[in-house]
Amino acid sequence: MRKILAVVLALVMVFGLVACGSGSSGSTGGAKTYKVGVAIYQYNDNFMTLYRQEIENYFKTLETDSVKYEITMVDSKNDMAEQTNQVDTFITQKMDVIILNLVQTSSAEVLIDKIVAADIPLVLINREPLGETDESYPGIINNPKVCYVGADARQSGTYQGEIVRDLPNHGDMNGNGTIDYVMIEGDPENPDAQYRTEYSIKALTDAGLEVNCLADQIGNWDQAKGNEIADAALAQFGDQIDVIFCNNDGMALGAAAAIEKAGRKVGEDILLLGVDALDECVEKVNNGTMTGTVLNDHVGQSHTAVDVAVKLLNGEAIDNYYWVDYVKVTKQ
Ligand code: GAL
C-alpha cells in the first residue's frame, strides 16, 4: 500500500512539474503572450484617462492560463511627431496588434499605411478619421485588419440640443425670443468637436427655435480653458447668455466654476451642457449646477476595442466600424 502511495505521489510530482514547466514556455503548448501596443493621444484628458484605464483592466480579465496580454501603453502628449515615433517603435518591437488614439486625424493615412505594411492589425479609437464626404475613411473600409471603434458624435450633439429643446422655455432663459448661446469647442480638427458644435444647434433650429451665437471659442477639451472662456464670455455678455454649450464635461466643469463666480444660477437664469458624463458632472446634473450631459460610454468603447483586438489576434474576421451609443443624462 505504501509503495503504491509512493508511486502515485511520484507521478503527481512529475506531472506537476511538467505542468509547471509547460506553463512558462510559449512554444510547447504553454501560455501564449500577445504583445499589444496602445498609443493614447494625451494622458492628461479626463475622458481618455477613464478609457485607457479600462483598456488595461479589461485585457486583464480576459487572461487565462494559456493566453496573456503584454500591454505597452504610451502617452503621445498631444504631439503628432512623438506619436509617429511611438508607432515606429511598436512596429520595430513587432507588436501583435496596435490600438491607436490618433493625435491628428489628418495623419491617419501615414500611420495606417505603415502599420498595414508591417502586417500588424490595427484598432483605431476615439478620433475618427473622416473620408472626403464625412463618411467612411478609405484606409479603413475593406481593410481586413483595420477598424475604427467609436461613438457617432452627431448623436451626442443632437442630445445636448434636445435637452435644451425639451425644457418648458426651450432654453430662452431671459425671454427675449432667441436662445443666445456660447459654444466652447474641443480641438478643431476632431470630428467630435465639429459634430457636437453643429448638431447641438441643429436640434434647436430643426425644432423651429431661434438661435443666436454670442461666442464660439476653442477650449481643446481642457477644464482651465473652459473656465477662462466662460469667464470672459460672462463678463462680456452678462445676462444676454441663455446657454453655455461645452463639447465635453472637462470644459463644462471649468464653465460651471465661472458661472458660480459670476453669481449666475444654472436652471434659473442660465443653462450648462457637457458631454462624457464624468462622475463629477453627473453629480452636478443631479444637484442642479449643470443642466445635462451625455454619456460617452468609455466602458462600452474600451471593451469593444479590446474584444475586436482579440478577434484580430485570433485571425477572426472583423467589421471595419463599431459604434457605441451615447445616452442622454438629465436630472434623476
Ligand atoms: C471625446 C471626449 C472628450 C475628449 C476627446 C479626445 O470623445 O468627449 O472629452 O476626451 O474625446 O479626443
Side-chain angles (χ1 to χ4, degrees):
M1 188 62 194
R2 265 215 189 137
K3 256 191 186 163
I4 295 176
L5 207 66
V7 170
V8 169
L9 269 175
L11 280 174
V12 165
M13 280 174 72
V14 168
F15 279 114
L17 283 176
V18 168
C20 286
S22 69
S24 59
S25 114
S27 54
T28 56
K32 164 96 185 134
T33 299
Y34 289 107
K35 295 198 285 183
V36 182
V38 186
I40 301 294
Y41 98 94
Q42 168 161 254
Y43 276 11
N44 184 18
D45 175 301
N46 310 21
F47 173 73
M48 285 313 301
T49 297
L50 299 171
Y51 196 134
R52 68 184 153 89
Q53 286 168 349
E54 194 53 33
I55 289 180
E56 287 189 306
N57 293 340
Y58 186 57
F59 260 121
K60 281 208 189 83
T61 69
L62 299 181
E63 287 194 329
T64 64
D65 287 346
S66 50
V67 179
K68 307 282 177 210
Y69 301 102
E70 186 186 300
I71 318 285
T72 306
M73 194 177 279
V74 293
D75 180 1
S76 303
K77 301 188 179 133
N78 208 18
D79 179 341
M80 197 57 239
E82 169 105 21
Q83 186 166 69
T84 304
N85 286 336
Q86 292 165 336
V87 166
D88 287 341
T89 307
F90 283 167
I91 291 172
T92 317
Q93 292 168 332
K94 296 196 165 37
M95 290 296 168
D96 294 306
V97 67
I98 293 176
I99 298 180
L100 181 59
N101 174 206
L102 286 165
V103 170
Q104 281 172 7
T105 50
S106 53
S107 300
E109 194 175 343
V110 181
L111 292 199
I112 293 174
D113 283 355
K114 274 177 193 255
I115 295 167
V116 169
D119 199 28
I120 300 175
L122 169 64
V123 181
L124 293 151
I125 56 166
N126 175 255
R127 296 185 153 192
E128 183 191 356
L130 290 178
E132 278 187 3
T133 53
D134 270 17
E135 292 300 338
S136 309
Y137 188 73
I140 297 177
I141 40 171
N142 298 326
N143 199 324
K145 290 189 187 173
V146 180
C147 67
Y148 174 73
V149 174
D152 181 353
R154 287 171 277 213
Q155 190 186 34
S156 52
T158 303
Y159 284 170
Q160 283 189 310
E162 286 178 359
I163 293 172
V164 173
R165 180 199 68 187
D166 293 343
L167 293 169
N169 66 1
H170 311 301
D172 182 11
M173 302 305 281
N174 57 21
N176 70 347
T178 59
I179 304 163
D180 302 289
Y181 69 90
V182 171
M183 183 67 68
I184 307 184
E185 295 197 32
D187 66 303
E189 78 140 46
N190 190 326
D192 284 7
Q194 294 160 11
Y195 281 148
R196 287 175 193 166
T197 298
E198 182 186 345
Y199 280 75
S200 51
I201 302 309
K202 188 173 181 297
L204 299 173
T205 52
D206 281 355
L209 297 162
E210 289 288 328
V211 298
N212 173 36
C213 178
L214 294 169
D216 186 334
Q217 307 256 319
I218 309 289
N220 280 325
W221 310 115
D222 182 68
Q223 184 165 339
K225 295 231 178 64
N227 180 260
E228 254 168 57
I229 294 168
D231 214 26
L234 285 157
Q236 188 178 352
F237 301 106
D239 293 346
Q240 274 179 275
I241 306 175
D242 291 311
V243 188
I244 301 185
F245 283 105
C246 299
N247 283 172
N248 80 340
D249 276 354
M251 299 187 294
L253 283 172
I259 287 172
E260 198 183 324
K261 187 179 136 214
R264 303 285 298 273
K265 289 256 173 303
V266 171
E268 289 177 25
D269 56 32
I270 195 164
L271 303 175
L272 175 62
L273 283 298
V275 175
D276 282 341
L278 300 178
D279 285 349
E280 304 94 295
C281 290
V282 173
E283 210 173 282
K284 283 189 167 300
V285 170
N286 286 328
N287 72 24
T289 53
M290 262 181 79
T291 312
T293 181
V294 180
L295 171 71
N296 193 3
D297 182 2
H298 70 272
V299 175
Q301 290 174 64
S302 55
H303 290 201
T304 306
V306 171
D307 285 339
V308 75
V310 168
K311 275 191 178 192
L312 284 161
L313 289 171
N314 293 337
E316 290 172 40
I318 54 148
D319 295 336
N320 289 127
Y321 284 90
Y322 292 87
W323 299 109
V324 176
D325 270 330
Y326 286 101
V327 183
K328 259 183 222 178
V329 179
T330 52
K331 192 169 180 168
Q332 289 307 304

